[in-house]
Amino acid sequence: MYKIVAKKDLASTIKLFEIYAPRVAKKAMPGQFVILRLDEKGERIPLTITDWSKEKGTVTVVVLEAGKTTKKLASMKVGDYILNFVGPLGKPAEIKNYGTVVFVGGGVGIALIYPEVRAFKEAGNKIITIIGARTKDLLIFEEELAKLSDELYIATDDGSKGHHGFVSDLLKKLLDEGKHIDLVVAVGPVIMMKVISNLTKPYGIKTIVSLNPIMVDGTGMCGSCRVIVGGETKFTCVDGPEFDGHLVDFDNLIARNQRYLEEEKLALERMKTHG
Amino acid sequence: MAKKILEKKVPMPEQSPKERIKNFDEVALGYTVEMAVEEAKRCLQCKPKEGQKICVDGCPVGVNIPAFIKCIRDRNFDEAIRIIKEKNNLPAICGRVCPYERQCEMFCTLGKKFEPVAIGRLERFVADWELSKGVKIPEKPQPNGKKVAVVGSGPAGLTVAADLAKLGYEVTIFEALHKPGGVLVYGIPEFRLPKRIVEAEVEYIKKLGVNIVCDVVVGKTVTVDELLEEFDAVFIGTGAGLPNWMNIPGENLNGVYSANEFLTRVNLMKAYLFPEYDTPIKIGKKVATIGGGNVAMDCARTALRLGAEESYIVYRRSEKEMPARLEEIERAKEEGVIFKLLTLPIRFIGDEKGWVKQMECVKMKLGEPDSSGRRKPIPIPGSEFLMDVDTVIVAIGQSPNPLIPKTTPDLKTGRKGEILVDEKQKTSKAKVFAGGDITTGDATVIAAMGAGKRAAQAIHEFLSGKS
């Protein structure tokens, strides 16, 4: 059992949890994730590690309420326990001094780029951060990222803050201006990562994306999370989650992520009626 | 006058095929006391001559079979289970999933003329009898002050742990999943091996003093080298959890599962109880399972229980070459699984939304025997045909899990990524032993337990300075 030691509402549908899991905290690295299961009848879901403290033995995750399990987790309180919490899983991000690195975070992906931004900053990179959300209330980690970034740009779909439009518009502008960029890291909805990868490809700028397919065990034994990268089948949980965005078959990933849409809807509706 | 010997095994009651495909309950219902005593009377109590092999020689963990059967005949079930547990820590499981026909029962003297004694059914009977009345825990030995880490809680790991605990070691099992049991909980379906039986056997191992820690992925959460700082020896029993693929076009279409994913969702996550349980599973009307082993039979039979209208086994050789147990093939047929033999899928075809809708196959013929002794399947040119399917389960075997070899640089592995061990299950790395599917590729539950027994003995010799 893993105790929730702190909780913070980052936005109406986005919550941060600090969970006591010393074994995971001791090993966590930027880019890795955990799998958790709330209770005996629960499913296993992956969540990216947003922060950790070896001293306190805690691991921080940020969760966007999207379906039954994430809504149930979001309703949990400090002092509650999560039944299973396993990690750190996946390969850590490759952190070194590239020069100028652009981080693009979309939606809950903004929280997920945070540990990498910090690590890349410490490695001596110049950091340009672009974050975007549907509306300004969903912009999270803005202050933290502003502190770490040499430049920070904001986009909202409804224009309530920063650029009225998408994060990809802002990256395009930088590219059009001829900004020197050595690496782009994009984390967010699949469609956003696809657009960003397509944008940087003609410029030959190395682009890393963090993929979010459906997972079960997270240890490489089932292949539910398989993706096509450079024409080869890879398991995101052990070979990723980060891959070269120019080699990922995003359309296959989009299709595969729709596999259980009906069941997910049913589970959510049932939760509303059964509590 | 000589006593008349029953030529056939006392039959075991089963759920009828029509009933059982509507539920996940166990198919075989087990012997009653009278049936067990009756069957036990068939045993000839052989006293083997020098060099003659009997049942015991076929048992990978060396259970004293004639002795426990004699106890059943005398209705002394307490003593029967004591004799079994001298050697076998998981009898309720072995009595259900062992391929007896290729092990103990193969050497049964009675089997030379008639049907062999139903050793597996009798083992199961005694184990279930004990579970139903409450398991007796042997007295704990004096702790010897030495600590052993076991990686993986499948049949190999559970056996090593139990044997070492009985010798006074402080044993901790590390398991990556949220429940112990390995393939016993995620792989073998409820209708062959009820999970309450696995839980009860694991409970027995815990009562022997073994500590089981779940949610620890050795290689990620902690490495083997880090375990060696804390423990006097490490046993690796992480199994063959890496699914093999066909590597043909369309394999990543929606509706195509690995057997591991399909079975893990159903068995470990209880997706057959969705939405009471949260993990979903999607099954179509026409389901094709590719492969001819026990795992393939489990998948095809599970598909029926999830509501598939047609469940096919698609296998590239003929029925004779199928590695599945005869009993499982028979049960699959009784339940209505359709066998498409000498057939090899060459590509999966999807609809506009990325779901599998058809499978292109080619007909095969059998050529000369290959290195495994089975006749090699050869495609017949021009025999390609299309098969309508909406779910495909790829059950063509598993490879050793690569996580530990990858994160333990001085551990020698073979061509298929298996950890290399000597006859005492010792690896190339000091203080590290391994056994089960991680060393052999995929094999049987009882073979893994046999390896676990040898490893426990070797670890004991090593740590008590006898070798």
Side-chain angles (χ1 to χ4, degrees), chain B residues 325-367:
Chain B
R325 290 183 57 202
L326 201 62
E327 187 179 79
E328 300 307 320
I329 296 173
E330 287 307 319
R331 285 188 176 153
K333 282 184 179 168
E334 284 168 14
E335 290 171 7
V337 172
I338 306 158
F339 284 61
K340 286 248 175 207
L341 302 169
L342 291 164
T343 303
L344 178 73
I346 48 177
R347 100 186 141 105
F348 303 112
I349 301 160
D351 64 15
E352 61 291 343
K353 284 184 174 162
W355 285 86
V356 65
K357 64 168 184 183
Q358 277 182 318
M359 185 162 91
E360 185 173 352
C361 299
V362 63
K363 283 274 175 201
M364 311 291 278
K365 62 179 180 195
L366 290 179

Side-chain angles (χ1 to χ4, degrees), chain B residues 400-418:
Chain B
N401 191 311
L403 194 54
I404 286 186
K406 258 198 224 163
T407 52
T408 316
D410 44 352
L411 204 57
K412 277 201 188 117
T413 54
R415 200 168 50 85
K416 289 179 179 163
E418 73 279 16

Side-chain angles (χ1 to χ4, degrees), chain A residues 65-246:
Chain A
E65 292 179 39
K68 178 176 176 181
T69 301
T70 48
K71 276 188 194 294
K72 211 166 171 182
L73 172 57
S75 72
M76 290 174 80
K77 298 182 214 50
V78 172
D80 287 348
Y81 287 86
I82 289 167
L83 185 55
N84 301 104
F85 191 86
V86 57
L89 301 171
K91 283 186 181 162
E94 201 185 318
I95 292 152
K96 56 180 187 183
N97 193 340
Y98 286 87
T100 301
V101 182
V102 175
F103 279 91
V104 186
V108 72
I110 306 171
L112 313 185
I113 59 171
Y114 169 70
E116 286 197 42
V117 170
R118 193 174 58 189
F120 274 83
K121 180 74 186 174
E122 280 165 13
N125 291 282
K126 185 186 170 198
I127 308 282
I128 301 172
T129 305
I130 303 173
I131 59 174
R134 228 169 49 238
T135 179
K136 73 171 190 312
D137 298 334
L138 296 174
L139 288 167
I140 52 175
F141 274 78
E142 190 185 327
E143 231 171 88
E144 290 89 336
L145 288 166
K147 270 186 218 154
L148 294 168
S149 309
D150 296 277
E151 296 169 32
L152 176 81
Y153 302 98
I154 291 170
T156 48
D157 295 6
D158 65 355
S160 51
K161 188 164 187 182
H163 168 74
H164 187 170
F166 301 123
V167 283
S168 50
D169 305 337
L170 295 172
L171 177 63
K172 187 168 184 302
K173 198 161 154 253
L174 295 180
L175 293 168
D176 289 345
E177 285 167 2
K179 190 97 170 178
H180 177 82
I181 299 170
D182 297 290
L183 177 74
V184 172
V185 180
V187 185
V190 185
I191 187 71
M192 176 213 114
M193 294 191 282
K194 178 184 171 178
V195 170
I196 298 288
S197 299
N198 286 344
L199 208 54
T200 56
K201 200 169 184 180
Y203 294 87
I205 300 170
K206 186 174 174 182
T207 301
I208 302 290
V209 291
S210 180
L211 302 185
N212 51 358
I214 299 171
M215 288 190 187
V216 184
D217 63 288
T219 64
M221 64 172 262
C222 87
S224 171
C225 68
R226 62 195 192 273
V227 289
I228 304 170
V229 181
E232 281 178 45
T233 294
K234 300 275 181 195
F235 288 6
T236 304
C237 70
V238 288
D239 301 319
E242 299 198 342
F243 292 103
D244 182 338
H246 297 153

